[in-house]
Amino acid sequence: MTTSSWTVTNLIKNTPVGEVFSSLEKVFTLKGEYVNDDKLSDIIRVKIQDKHYYVKRYTLGGKGIRKYIGRSRIRAEWENLLTFHDLGVPAAEVVAYGEERCSGLFKRGAAITEEFDNSLDMRQLEQHHDYLLKNHNWMNQVIDQVASAARTLHQNNFIHTDFKWRNILVTIEEKPRIALIDCPAGTKVASIFLERGIIKDLACLDKIGKKKLSKSQRMRFYSRYIGRKINNGDKRRIKKILSFFEGRE
């Protein structure tokens, strides 16, 4: 028995865009600009009425046991982005999503997000626009926004698990804005597991941060993240953050 669910959000419902993305069947026949693919999924960029949309399509539920049972990777992606919006964390705008299952097993699924105009992910920023990282006023605005996003997630017991620069978009303008993308492994955790998750998330952010940002900028991030001055307890946590990936890289 095959079951299918598909949601078109109010942002595009009853519009030409909504018609293009009106069903899972239509989405899997779409052609567009190739962005990426792997064994699980492909991503294409589609232009409709002067606006671009990213279409991510999965034909496997995930890796390991996730291929067969439990929350699929694509479901986790759209649910986590919707959670970010519910929490007030800036994230890519989801316009349509859904999946198909056969006898309870994942068959295929997709999620479509609206392009975050005039933006790059922070990894691309680091690789191609290094001059912006050296603009302290501009970069401090980015640091403050990322710190606020991380604080809100963690205050709500949500761990990203892959909080890397490549998963944060930032607009290339005088007053930059950020948006989170790609979070298929993120989840809410019990309080007992929260601290380790926090350390991993902040260590992920610092992998490039320690190479590209000054010590004062990194301390600014942490101070904004905790919302106060750094104390001795924070220094112990910071040591754990700095040593988290030792021997793994």
Side-chain angles (χ1 to χ4, degrees), residues 148 200 217 227:
S148 176
K200 180 180 180 182
Q217 285 176 313

Side-chain angles (χ1 to χ4, degrees), residues 3-9 24 28 54 56-58 60-61 66 70-86 91-101 106 108-113 158 180-186:
T3 59
S4 182
S5 65
W6 186 251
T7 299
V8 176
T9 69
L24 190 62
F28 268 86
Y54 287 92
K56 183 173 281 192
R57 302 178 291 199
Y58 274 76
L60 286 174
R66 210 175 187 184
R71 185 169 73 154
S72 67
R73 191 176 177 90
I74 189 62
R75 175 176 285 275
E77 288 214 33
W78 84 63
E79 287 184 346
N80 287 344
L81 289 176
L82 293 174
T83 294
F84 294 164
H85 284 288
D86 288 342
E93 199 74 63
V94 184
V95 299
Y97 54 88
E99 66 179 10
E100 186 175 274
R101 288 179 174 267
F106 181 86
R108 61 180 182 173
I112 302 165
T113 55
F158 190 99
L180 304 190
I181 56 171
D182 292 347
C183 182

Side-chain angles (χ1 to χ4, degrees), residues 4-246:
S4 182
S5 65
W6 186 251
T7 299
V8 176
T9 69
N10 290 332
L11 285 170
I12 63 168
K13 192 176 288 185
N14 301 320
T15 70
V17 179
E19 178 58 31
V20 173
F21 301 140
S22 61
S23 71
L24 190 62
E25 290 74 17
K26 280 189 175 182
V27 168
F28 268 86
T29 64
L30 285 174
K31 298 189 183 302
E33 176 190 349
Y34 165 82
V35 176
N36 193 22
D37 68 2
D38 55 34
K39 293 180 179 179
L40 302 179
S41 66
D42 72 353
I43 305 172
I44 59 172
R45 186 170 177 251
V46 177
K47 185 176 182 180
I48 307 170
Q49 292 191 327
D50 298 321
K51 190 76 176 178
H52 286 99
Y53 298 86
Y54 287 92
V55 180
K56 183 173 281 192
R57 302 178 291 199
Y58 274 76
T59 52
L60 286 174
K63 300 176 182 178
I65 197 170
R66 210 175 187 184
K67 289 181 182 178
Y68 310 106
I69 61 175
R71 185 169 73 154
S72 67
R73 191 176 177 90
I74 189 62
R75 175 176 285 275
E77 288 214 33
W78 84 63
E79 287 184 346
N80 287 344
L81 289 176
L82 293 174
T83 294
F84 294 164
H85 284 288
D86 288 342
L87 295 176
V89 173
E93 199 74 63
V94 184
V95 299
Y97 54 88
E99 66 179 10
E100 186 175 274
R101 288 179 174 267
C102 184
S103 299
L105 302 180
F106 181 86
K107 186 177 178 182
R108 61 180 182 173
I112 302 165
T113 55
E114 186 178 275
E115 184 174 54
F116 195 51
D117 290 336
N118 193 31
S119 69
L120 294 173
D121 70 59
M122 287 187 63
R123 180 63 170 163
Q124 292 174 314
L125 182 74
E126 175 261 331
Q127 292 174 329
H128 304 297
H129 296 274
D130 196 52
Y131 70 94
L132 286 171
L133 302 186
K134 296 173 183 176
N135 181 329
H136 281 243
N137 177 59
W138 189 91
M139 196 61 201
N140 283 344
Q141 295 179 69
V142 176
I143 288 170
D144 292 352
Q145 291 177 59
V146 176
S148 176
R151 181 176 66 249
T152 299
L153 293 181
H154 295 161
Q155 285 176 341
N156 286 276
N157 283 51
F158 190 99
I159 300 302
H160 191 292
T161 79
D162 197 27
F163 213 165
K164 296 175 181 175
W165 281 36
R166 69 169 183 251
N167 292 328
I168 305 169
L169 298 179
V170 59
T171 57
I172 310 304
E173 53 194 1
E174 184 178 354
K175 294 184 177 181
R177 295 170 294 118
I178 71 158
L180 304 190
I181 56 171
D182 292 347
C183 182
T187 188
K188 282 198 170 188
V189 298
S191 296
I192 191 172
F193 301 115
L194 183 60
E195 181 62 17
R196 187 181 188 281
I198 287 173
I199 289 169
K200 180 180 180 182
D201 275 359
L202 300 186
C204 282
L205 285 171
D206 200 49
K207 276 181 110 175
I208 296 177
K210 66 187 177 185
K211 299 174 183 177
K212 292 295 180 177
L213 302 180
S214 67
K215 183 177 179 180
S216 64
Q217 285 176 313
R218 292 162 73 203
M219 290 300 100
R220 178 191 178 96
F221 168 83
Y222 191 81
S223 180
R224 294 297 191 275
Y225 168 75
I226 59 177
R228 54 174 169 75
K229 291 184 178 180
I230 295 171
N231 61 30
N232 288 332
D234 297 314
K235 290 177 182 178
R236 288 191 290 272
R237 179 196 264 173
I238 289 169
K239 286 182 180 179
K240 292 180 181 178
I241 293 167
L242 294 177
S243 64
F244 186 83
F245 286 111
E246 283 183 359

